[in-house]
Amino acid sequence: MSQRLEEVVHARGHEHVSADHASTFEVTTDDYLTPAGDCILAIDADRAPADFDSEFVDACRDETATITVTFEADGHEETVSGRGDPDLEFTNERSAVGRTSDYVDDRTIVVGSEFAAEGFDRELVDALADGTDVTVTISVE
């Protein structure tokens, strides 16, 4: 598959963004964040996995697919890659989660991620903690 498909999500940071989680990162449509949400990088997302195009979802269900998630906020950019999985559902209407493990549930958008929330650039994390707007681009090829 040589075609590159992408989904774009607009969200914002929050004062409780800590990006301390060792195995996941998450973007949620929820408009709040508690300090316990240490994997959440952005809130108030305008789209969730259930909104993604069926062609995009099908492409992500290929275990040889490379899925890349890019966060752009306030002049900072971080890209993390992982792979697809035949069990990916893309049915959750609230949250999109990237995982370093092979675990899949209805929120999972990528498995085998290179790193999780704790691996994100700290300047980007600081910008998100200041509540800045973020563009999250999820691509598959």
Side-chain angles (χ1 to χ4, degrees):
M1 182 176 78
S2 58
Q3 188 182 12
R4 180 173 187 251
L5 301 170
E6 54 179 51
E7 293 285 346
V8 177
V9 176
H10 298 281
R12 64 181 170 87
H14 185 278
E15 64 181 326
H16 291 313
V17 170
S18 62
D20 289 333
H21 206 278
S23 63
T24 63
F25 62 88
E26 179 177 341
V27 175
T28 181
T29 60
D30 291 347
D31 62 359
Y32 62 91
L33 175 59
T34 68
D38 63 353
C39 69
I40 296 176
L41 297 172
I43 66 166
D44 215 11
D46 62 353
R47 303 174 71 223
D51 301 317
F52 295 172
D53 186 79
S54 60
E55 187 181 7
F56 176 87
V57 171
D58 288 345
C60 291
R61 288 184 176 140
D62 183 339
E63 59 202 15
T64 65
T66 298
I67 298 173
T68 304
V69 185
T70 303
F71 287 77
E72 295 173 85
D74 197 29
H76 304 286
E77 183 175 311
E78 182 77 75
T79 298
V80 58
S81 293
R83 66 180 188 284
D85 188 283
D87 294 330
L88 290 175
E89 295 177 29
F90 288 87
T91 55
N92 195 280
E93 296 179 5
R94 283 179 56 204
S95 300
V97 177
R99 302 181 187 281
T100 57
S101 68
D102 293 330
Y103 178 78
V104 173
D105 68 8
D106 68 336
R107 303 180 310 155
T108 308
I109 59 164
V110 59
V111 295
S113 177
E114 298 168 292
F115 53 86
E118 68 174 9
F120 276 75
D121 177 78
R122 289 296 114 177
E123 289 184 3
L124 172 65
V125 172
D126 288 347
L128 293 171
D130 285 341
T132 194
D133 290 340
V134 58
T135 300
V136 183
T137 304
I138 306 152
S139 63
V140 57
E141 51 190 333

